[in-house]
Amino acid sequence: MIEVRQLGKVYGQTERYLALADVNLHVAAGEFVCLLGPSGCGKSTLLHLVAGFETPTTGQVLADGRPVRGPGRDRVMLFQDAGAALLPWQTVAENIGFALRARGIARQEWAERTDRALADVDLLAHRGKFPSQLSGGMRQRLQIARALAVEPKVLLMDEPFGALDAITRRRMHVVLLDIWQRTRQTILFVTHDIAEALILADRICIMSVGPGSAISHDIVVGIDRPRDLADPAFAIKAREIEAELMPDLAPAMPRSA
Amino acid sequence: MLRTAALTTASVIVALAIWQGLSTYLFNPFLVPPPLRVIATAVPMILSGEIPRDVWISLTRVFVGFVSGCLAGMVCGVLLGRIRLLHELLDPAVELLRYLSPTAMIPIAVIWFGIGEMSKYFLIFWGSFFIVVVNTTAGVMRAPITRQRAAQCLGASQMRILVSVVVPSAAPYVVTGMRIAMASAFMSIIPAEILAADSGIGYLLEQSSMLLQTDRIFVALLTICVLGFAFDRLFQFLVARTLARYMSHIALT
């Protein structure tokens, strides 16, 4: 579904900064992949390139076999700051309507589709509110509902729950997994939280620190869903990933992989 | 709300009382006529239709110049804010020309348009246009990129993004620009009418000055204050009634 080949990205004209060097990534249809790495490792850059907001310096991105030339509604991006992405002058329902209009859905279907999208994220009771009247978690749910309304094949999520408190974030994981298991959309999810990646992903791609970041490890999670944080397999995987991310701390921990 | 109204009224009454005291006991009442005499002068001027006529003429000029200046300013501002090449080409010109106040343009406006209505429309247009252009351009350029990209992902066309995302995002800037432009319009109409008109509030000021009728000058000055204040309030009221949802979101982003 998403194919990234020998992708490189250089910023700046005079002072050149090599953000990404030779990134290769394959995400199969229906797969849930997390890009994991510390801040500044270029995972958001990679996501922006897949979204088509920026153009690669070298290499290419293919979506569904076709080269990405710009943003398209087959790949909807979900931003960390949902408040900035939504239209603050429109109500919850009107924000969904904006997406339906952009998608070219006939107006008589709007009411039914809006209700369905809002029901999916449990926001039906808040349809008349403005985004400023919603909590951070509700705003993020609205952003997800808006994306679902255009039925994208791929969801690109840029640390969407990074600004939420830990409890709300756990709730959002359940909401997202529930939606994904029903729709089987392809999800590429950026995070710097090891536990979040382990809870969500089929596969975790670890990115090395820049300049010239690339995907250093590709780990299949292989734990059955629903996943239990208390499951020993979970702790073993977490330790394995920590060892990859922080090899300098590795001697203190037994390596399992 | 009631408290604000009461305080405003009290403030006006206190100011009038101080003025009355100062012009009675400190200043020469011919040079600074006391408020009671100004009111006594104003009433017949209002009843005879003199003030309403001048007010109507001046307001018409302000309205035509302001509305056309705002509309042209918004269109140009959106284009300048959206089309990079246009901005690079025209922004220096805008930056230079906006220092020419309407007053500076009076002599050439009289030569171009005579002392008829057109010269006044032009001068008010000139004063409003640049303020609205600069503010609209800034608002359009600052429309959050995340909001535009999110809309783009959902499949919105460039036109739809401009109309439904960029322009509404710029609304607070545009409205601020219009409000400053309206104040400018009320300030520019007076010199324009003093120097190049045979009617309107400015002309009333000019005539009263030549005849040393200080009480009539004060009536004209008070009229300008009341008009400017009333129209600014009316503007804010209309904005609150029609554009509230576009104005309140600044806190969110």
Side-chain angles (χ1 to χ4, degrees):
Chain A
M1 178 56 66
I2 297 286
E3 185 78 45
V4 175
R5 288 183 189 156
Q6 285 142 20
L7 189 73
K9 179 69 184 174
V10 176
Y11 283 109
Q13 298 288 327
T14 47
E15 282 192 39
R16 294 163 67 83
Y17 177 76
L18 180 66
L20 298 175
D22 197 27
V23 175
N24 290 285
L25 174 67
H26 174 81
V27 183
E31 201 177 13
F32 197 139
V33 173
C34 275
L35 288 172
L36 180 67
S39 297
C41 73
K43 36 190 205 309
S44 289
T45 303
L46 176 54
L47 204 64
H48 278 66
L49 286 160
V50 173
F53 297 144
E54 295 178 34
T55 47
T57 311
T58 55
Q60 61 175 345
V61 178
L62 301 177
D64 224 358
R66 284 185 301 273
V68 167
R69 300 199 194 288
R73 62 171 169 244
D74 55 325
R75 292 160 281 126
V76 171
M77 176 84 128
L78 289 156
F79 296 88
Q80 180 175 13
D81 186 356
L86 297 165
L87 302 180
W89 52 82
Q90 295 195 334
T91 62
V92 166
E94 286 167 346
N95 264 285
I96 306 287
F98 174 80
L100 294 172
R101 179 204 288 262
R103 176 82 165 78
I105 306 281
R107 198 173 273 267
Q108 59 265 31
E109 289 184 41
W110 285 15
E112 189 227 322
R113 279 177 179 255
T114 301
D115 284 355
R116 208 186 327 142
L118 291 178
D120 277 345
V121 296
D122 200 19
L123 277 180
L124 261 184
H126 306 282
R127 57 179 305 142
K129 287 186 181 168
F130 287 97
S132 57
Q133 296 168 300
L134 304 177
S135 69
M138 288 156 90
R139 266 183 229 163
Q140 200 51 267
R141 268 156 39 207
L142 174 55
Q143 200 188 183
I144 293 172
R146 193 170 73 156
L148 294 176
V150 303
E151 297 168 336
K153 292 180 186 151
V154 180
L155 289 177
L156 305 171
M157 307 183 83
D158 191 2
E159 298 188 35
F161 312 139
L164 304 178
D165 66 83
I167 298 162
T168 309
R169 192 183 313 172
R170 282 294 295 133
R171 203 177 282 279
M172 295 301 297
H173 292 155
V174 175
V175 170
L176 180 61
L177 283 174
D178 181 48
I179 289 169
W180 175 68
Q181 275 161 346
R182 270 183 292 128
T183 62
R184 283 292 160 180
Q185 276 153 325
T186 311
I187 298 182
L188 187 54
F189 188 108
V190 162
T191 181
H192 51 65
D193 182 338
I194 296 170
E196 180 169 64
L198 278 172
I199 289 163
L200 295 173
D202 292 325
R203 247 172 66 215
I204 299 175
C205 295
I206 298 178
M207 289 189 72
S208 58
V209 182
S213 319
I215 291 170
S216 58
H217 296 87
D218 193 332
I219 296 169
V220 176
V221 176
I223 304 172
D224 289 338
R225 293 188 172 89
R227 288 178 186 160
D228 181 359
L229 286 162
D231 184 341
F234 202 93
I236 292 167
K237 275 287 172 197
R239 179 161 290 183
E240 182 186 334
I241 292 167
E242 277 198 356
E244 304 290 3
L245 278 172
M246 297 167 279
D248 46 326
L249 300 179
M253 299 183 287
R255 294 190 71 130
S256 61
Chain B
M1 194 63 199
L2 200 67
R3 188 183 137 87
T4 318
L7 285 173
T8 309
T9 314
S11 149
V12 171
I13 289 171
V14 169
L16 287 175
I18 293 172
W19 174 11
Q20 180 79 31
L22 287 176
S23 36
T24 312
Y25 301 107
L26 191 64
F27 300 133
N28 179 342
F30 173 72
L31 296 179
V32 187
L36 288 176
R37 209 169 90 215
V38 173
I39 292 166
T41 314
V43 171
M45 288 172 80
I46 294 168
L47 293 179
S48 72
E50 186 183 358
I51 290 283
R53 196 173 57 244
D54 282 332
V55 165
W56 176 252
I57 290 168
S58 293
L59 280 184
T60 308
R61 289 167 179 163
V62 165
F63 182 80
V64 173
F66 172 74
V67 170
S68 58
C70 286
L71 290 176
M74 281 183 234
V75 172
C76 292
V78 169
L79 293 175
L80 282 178
R82 202 63 183 158
I83 304 170
R84 202 185 176 82
L85 179 69
L86 211 59
H87 186 259
E88 283 163 356
L89 282 175
L90 294 180
D91 189 57
V94 171
E95 284 298 316
L96 286 172
L97 288 174
R98 73 193 185 97
Y99 290 99
L100 291 176
S101 68
T103 313
M105 296 299 287
I106 291 175
I108 196 68
V110 173
I111 295 172
W112 285 347
F113 303 108
I115 67 159
E117 294 310 294
M118 202 57 205
S119 58
K120 261 69 70 189
Y121 296 159
F122 169 77
L123 290 168
I124 302 299
F125 174 92
W126 184 269
S128 311
F129 176 75
F130 289 102
I131 297 171
V132 175
V133 166
V134 169
N135 278 275
T136 306
T137 305
V140 166
M141 291 180 102
R142 287 187 178 86
I145 187 73
T146 302
R147 202 175 285 158
Q148 298 179 52
R149 284 179 164 176
Q152 216 179 349
C153 275
L154 297 170
S157 64
Q158 284 301 318
M159 196 61 199
R160 161 90 24 230
I161 291 172
L162 180 68
V163 171
S164 301
V165 180
V166 174
V167 170
S169 296
Y173 290 83
V174 179
V175 167
T176 305
M178 285 176 70
R179 208 176 150 205
I180 302 169
M182 196 162 78
S184 149
F186 273 99
M187 285 195 266
S188 331
I189 188 64
I190 302 304
E193 287 176 344
I194 288 176
L195 292 171
D198 49 16
S199 57
I201 309 272
Y203 180 72
L204 172 65
L205 269 173
E206 160 75 1
Q207 285 301 98
S208 312
S209 171
M210 291 215 287
L211 301 170
L212 292 178
Q213 294 164 323
T214 52
D215 44 359
R216 283 169 63 89
I217 290 182
F218 270 74
V219 171
L221 292 177
L222 268 186
T223 309
I224 297 164
C225 295
V226 171
L227 283 183
F229 180 80
F231 275 86
D232 187 60
R233 289 300 147 107
L234 179 66
F235 182 77
Q236 284 183 279
F237 172 77
L238 290 176
V239 166
R241 284 298 288 267
T242 56
L243 298 174
R245 54 161 69 194
Y246 300 100
M247 305 301 290
S248 55
H249 68 266
I250 315 169
L252 187 64
T253 52

